[in-house]
Amino acid sequence: MLAAAAPASADRRTFVHALMGNLICSWSNNESLFIYVLMILLRTDEASAAVVFATLNTTRARLDLIQRLAKIRVTDKALARSLTALVERFSESTRVRNELNHCMFIFDSTGAITHTQSMRLTETKSSLRFGEIKALDESRLQEMLRTTTEMTKINRDIWDLLPRLEAHVCGGEQQKDLPTKVA
């Protein structure tokens, strides 16, 4: 019965999947740009920065390292604030990405995705609950669109920050492995 009804909801499912794909791709590109922030802060080459980045197995650990290195390397207060703001904005987008990347999708009888259920356990003194259920309604779809738009802005802002960070940390000495800007 579900298979017979599913074609009627295919366009909406495709739209939801496209939103998720754009969000995840944008997020991944932005996270990877932090390799270059790390490269500058460590004053090392791209390969070494990538090794350090990959060795830290969570986004939070990578961002923590960047923030700690910035505290000892970035003395320009405005530049430090810019980097902190970028990390905070990226962290907020990470919340939305994680919510959608680590959930179970709930379908109705027509095959439409109607809700998500978090894969996180919530434990209290007297109970254990399995994940929050949230509607995948128009409001949630708009949140996904806003987050993807914000990630595009974060991407541009990281690219704009890299040469300023490099000039500050390296004192005018240009690092040879810094890539040219690509979106």
Side-chain angles (χ1 to χ4, degrees), residues 110-171:
T110 69
I113 303 169
T114 60
H115 293 80
T116 60
Q117 183 169 10
S118 165
M119 300 307 290
R120 179 172 291 159
L121 291 175
T122 306
E123 189 172 355
T124 64
K125 288 181 181 180
S126 60
S127 71
L128 183 64
R129 261 190 21 244
F130 178 66
E132 178 183 8
I133 295 176
K134 287 185 173 182
L136 192 58
D137 55 12
E138 188 60 31
S139 172
R140 193 107 175 272
L141 296 176
Q142 289 303 313
E143 177 187 30
M144 292 167 68
L145 281 167
R146 280 190 307 276
T147 302
T148 301
T149 299
E150 172 63 6
M151 282 194 269
T152 299
K153 292 175 186 173
I154 291 168
N155 182 281
R156 302 302 188 271
D157 291 344
I158 293 171
W159 280 114
D160 290 343
L161 178 83
L162 288 173
R164 293 186 297 135
L165 183 63
E166 181 182 35
H168 176 74
V169 171
C170 301

Side-chain angles (χ1 to χ4, degrees), residues 31-117:
E31 185 190 37
S32 296
L33 280 179
F34 282 107
I35 291 172
Y36 299 108
V37 173
L38 192 58
M39 181 182 85
I40 292 167
L41 292 172
L42 290 172
R43 295 195 67 173
T44 191
D45 60 279
E46 182 180 18
S48 297
V51 167
V52 170
F53 187 85
T55 300
L56 299 169
N57 63 357
T58 66
T59 301
R60 181 76 263 146
R62 294 167 180 155
L63 295 176
D64 284 348
L65 177 61
I66 286 168
Q67 289 178 305
R68 289 173 181 156
L69 287 169
K71 284 180 181 177
I72 62 173
R73 293 274 187 182
V74 181
T75 57
D76 178 308
K77 291 187 186 309
L79 186 59
R81 280 192 301 273
S82 293
L83 180 55
T84 297
L86 275 172
V87 168
E88 288 171 357
R89 288 167 56 206
F90 180 74
S91 293
E92 179 57 26
S93 69
T94 297
R95 181 195 60 75
V96 176
R97 177 258 185 196
N98 285 347
E99 185 179 300
L100 292 163
N101 212 36
H102 302 291
C103 72
M104 179 172 58
F105 294 91
I106 300 170
F107 298 82
D108 68 9
S109 61
T110 69
I113 303 169
T114 60
H115 293 80
T116 60
Q117 183 169 10

Side-chain angles (χ1 to χ4, degrees), residues 5-19 107 110-113:
S9 62
D11 286 345
R12 185 171 190 279
R13 249 190 341 274
T14 299
F15 178 67
V16 170
H17 291 152
L19 280 176
F107 298 82
T110 69
I113 303 169

